[in-house]
Structures are given as C-alpha cells and as structure tokens.
Amino acid sequence: MENGQASRTALGAATLRAAHQLIDGDVKLLNDPVILELIDPETRSRICENADTFNSPGTLGMRTHIVLRSRYAEDCLKEAYEKGVRQFIILGAGLDTFAYRQPSWASGLKIVEADHPSSQAEKFDKLIKAGIAIPSNVSFINVDLETDDLERTFRNFINFEEPVFTACLGVLIYLSQSCVNKIFQFLGGFSEGSEFIFTVSQKRNDKYAVITSQKVAEEGEPWISYFEPEALIEQLKNNGFTFAEYLSPEDAYELYFNNHDLRLPPPSKKNILRAVI
Ligand SMILES: C[S@@+](CC[C@H](N)C(=O)[O-])C[C@H]1O[C@@H](n2cnc3c(N)ncnc32)[C@H](O)[C@@H]1O
C-alpha cells in the first residue's frame, strides 16, 4: 500500500457488498445494511444508476466471491463460538461491518479489528460521520503486516492461551510471500481450537482478472502473491495447522446457492480456506 493512503481496494470490496444490498433483490447471501452507511452517496448512486455494469459477468463473479467470503467466515465464526471460542481477529479489516451489526450471541466475543493505520483512520472517519457507535467488545489495532512483529502487536489484545478465530479476507494477495508465511507462523502458533478463514488467488488470465489487476496496481495495491492449492495446504500444515480445506464450489452451492431466489451466481473457483489448529 502507498504510504498515507487508505486502501482503495477496501472501498472496492465495500462497494460490491453495498451493490448486493441495493441491486440483488430481496434474498441476500449477506444482510449488511451497515455497509450502506459507510459508502458515500455518490457510490450508492453509481451502483443504482449502473446496474448493468454491476451485473456484467466479471463483476457478478467478483461480487459472489466478496459476499460469500464474509458470509462463510461469519457462519464459521458462529460455529466456533458455539464450541467456546471467544476471541475474533479481523486481519486487514477494511470496511468489514460485522462488529456494527453483530448478532446478540456475539456480545460474548472480543473482536479485534486490525488494519493498516491509513485504512483504519479512514474507517473511523466513516463510522463517525455515519453516527455508528463502536460497541464495547471491539478494539482496533494499527498494524503494517509487512513490517510489524505480530506477537508484539497483538499480545496486549489477545490471550494466546485461549483459542482465537481469525478472518483475513481479500488481503494475502497484496502481501509478500514472506509476510504471508509470517502470518501463517503466527496464527499457526495459536492454541488448540483456533481457526483461520482466509482467501487466496491463483494466477488468472481472463479479461476481468487482467483489467482488475491493472486497476489495483495503478491504485498502489498490486496483486503480488498467488498460491497453488496443494502447496498451500502443505504450507499451512508445516506452520502448525492440523486441518485445512478449501470451500469447494460444490459445497458453496449446497450451503448457500441452492436457492432460485438468490440472484448471485454460484462460485466457479475455490479460493476460500478454513484452517484449524
Ligand atoms: C481488499 S481489502 C479487504 C478488506 C476486507 N477484509 C474486506 O473483505 O472487505 C484489503 C485490506 O488489506 C489491508 N492491507 C493491505 N496491506 C496491508 C498491510 N501491509 N498491513 C495491514 N493491512 C494491509 C488494507 O488496508 C485493506 O483493508
């Protein structure tokens, strides 16, 4: 990320989550009214006035991915909570809104939003402007994942003796391989029962991927890290995870898309993972 600039890609992801609320009909994969308060009125109008563009195959596929990863992470979080996990880190939180629309069960959860300082400053600004109160179970950590020592950064916020659920959605592609390995090592050292939901990408050459990768590079956030599926599972196991699996398109279909009223297309690729210690 360019110094001092809040993440443009976080705004892009937020825009697609907002589009899901605005133009995908009544049946939602993710109910996220708060995101509509965090995007500006111009973005809201742009979505509503350009529904055709937002419904092009490439954008729809990306919207499915972005909405699905949040929904899946939140469902896994609930399951983990039911098994006793009480700490939740959102790594590279961007404009994630879980904390501001949290269900009643989540009040027993300690939620830590961690992000680059410039992205976090912009999020605060948006929360304040929207009049959204920060719930008492939410803390914020400024972190540069590339350069900071993660153990030192998190130790005043997280009890490493207790399990932790971590979500890191749409972030690893922007980080160097050595930083990704540092994150795996850090999270893989958490206590038994901890879970990690995250996304990765494989290199793609289709038109939408090429145009999007050029656009994000021009915005100062190039896609730099890609992963081969089998090697990644091995890398996770080498770093302390006992179990790791992709959410397959077939499982995603059975879980969420087997519903004619849902207007989002099912995913065609596997790029969301769940890893457990
Ligand atoms: C595409 S956004 C995803 C945001 C959010 N997870 C979501 O799903 O909407 C990428 C996020 O990664 C964060 N990020 C990128 N590089 C980072 C770094 N070196 N340290 C901390 N955060 C970083 C950005 O600030 C941004 O919030």
Side-chain angles (χ1 to χ4, degrees):
M1 285 178 54
E2 281 176 4
N3 272 346
Q5 181 184 283
S7 168
R8 300 295 95 198
T9 62
L11 279 177
T15 301
L16 291 183
R17 285 200 302 278
H20 182 53
Q21 305 308 304
L22 291 171
I23 61 171
D24 285 342
D26 291 338
V27 176
K28 308 276 188 247
L29 186 54
L30 185 76
N31 270 311
D32 187 359
V34 176
I35 198 64
L36 297 177
E37 298 179 52
L38 294 187
I39 59 164
D40 54 42
E42 293 74 31
T43 304
R44 204 183 162 120
S45 307
R46 184 162 61 83
I47 296 167
C48 295
E49 286 160 17
N50 297 284
D52 283 356
T53 314
F54 276 87
N55 284 330
S56 66
T59 309
L60 261 182
M62 185 58 104
R63 183 147 87 247
T64 285
H65 170 66
I66 284 175
V67 175
L68 173 62
R69 72 193 189 194
S70 291
R71 169 65 188 270
Y72 180 64
E74 291 177 21
D75 285 354
C76 292
L77 172 66
K78 184 163 190 285
E79 270 178 37
Y81 183 86
E82 282 160 3
K83 288 186 219 147
V85 177
R86 293 291 181 268
Q87 306 181 91
F88 177 30
I89 299 176
I90 313 175
L91 212 51
L95 296 176
D96 191 289
T97 57
F98 176 81
Y100 316 100
R101 55 179 166 79
Q102 52 179 290
S104 53
W105 58 260
S107 62
L109 202 58
K110 180 179 172 58
I111 302 173
V112 176
E113 290 201 9
D115 206 344
H116 198 277
S118 40
S119 300
Q120 205 146 64
E122 185 176 78
K123 183 172 190 176
F124 264 130
D125 195 42
K126 286 180 181 298
L127 287 167
I128 289 165
K129 280 192 183 132
I132 297 171
I134 314 287
S136 58
N137 62 340
V138 181
S139 319
F140 297 89
I141 298 185
N142 281 328
V143 63
D144 185 334
L145 294 165
E146 289 287 352
T147 53
D148 291 350
D149 180 309
L150 298 180
E151 207 267 341
R152 203 176 306 147
T153 303
F154 282 86
R155 70 181 165 210
N156 291 332
F157 295 86
I158 291 294
N159 177 357
F160 296 126
E161 304 298 313
E162 299 289 335
V164 184
F165 185 97
T166 304
C168 184
L169 308 176
V171 180
L172 299 189
I173 195 169
Y174 302 101
L175 304 176
S176 64
Q177 291 279 351
S178 61
C179 175
V180 171
N181 209 54
K182 177 176 83 171
I183 291 171
F184 288 173
Q185 242 172 30
F186 174 59
L187 300 180
F190 281 2
S191 67
E192 200 181 328
S194 295
E195 257 190 69
F196 180 32
I197 305 291
F198 66 105
T199 59
V200 293
S201 296
Q202 284 179 265
K203 191 103 182 140
R204 286 164 45 191
N205 293 316
D206 57 279
K207 192 172 151 209
Y208 182 80
V210 170
I211 291 172
T212 311
S213 85
Q214 279 166 357
K215 184 167 173 277
V216 294
E218 282 161 15
E219 288 172 341
E221 291 170 75
W223 289 346
I224 55 174
S225 277
Y226 297 95
F227 300 86
E228 286 308 318
E230 296 315 318
L232 177 59
I233 300 285
E234 213 40 50
Q235 191 181 354
L236 287 162
K237 292 196 170 154
N238 290 340
N239 278 296
F241 291 93
T242 55
F243 169 87
E245 69 172 7
Y246 284 85
L247 175 66
S248 68
E250 295 76 21
D251 286 346
Y253 181 83
E254 282 312 316
L255 280 171
Y256 303 117
F257 291 87
N258 194 1
N259 176 350
H260 292 303
D261 295 323
L262 180 64
R263 290 211 202 139
L264 283 178
S268 57
K269 298 185 178 58
K270 52 178 192 182
N271 40 29
I272 304 175
L273 285 105
R274 173 170 173 263
V276 177
I277 297 164

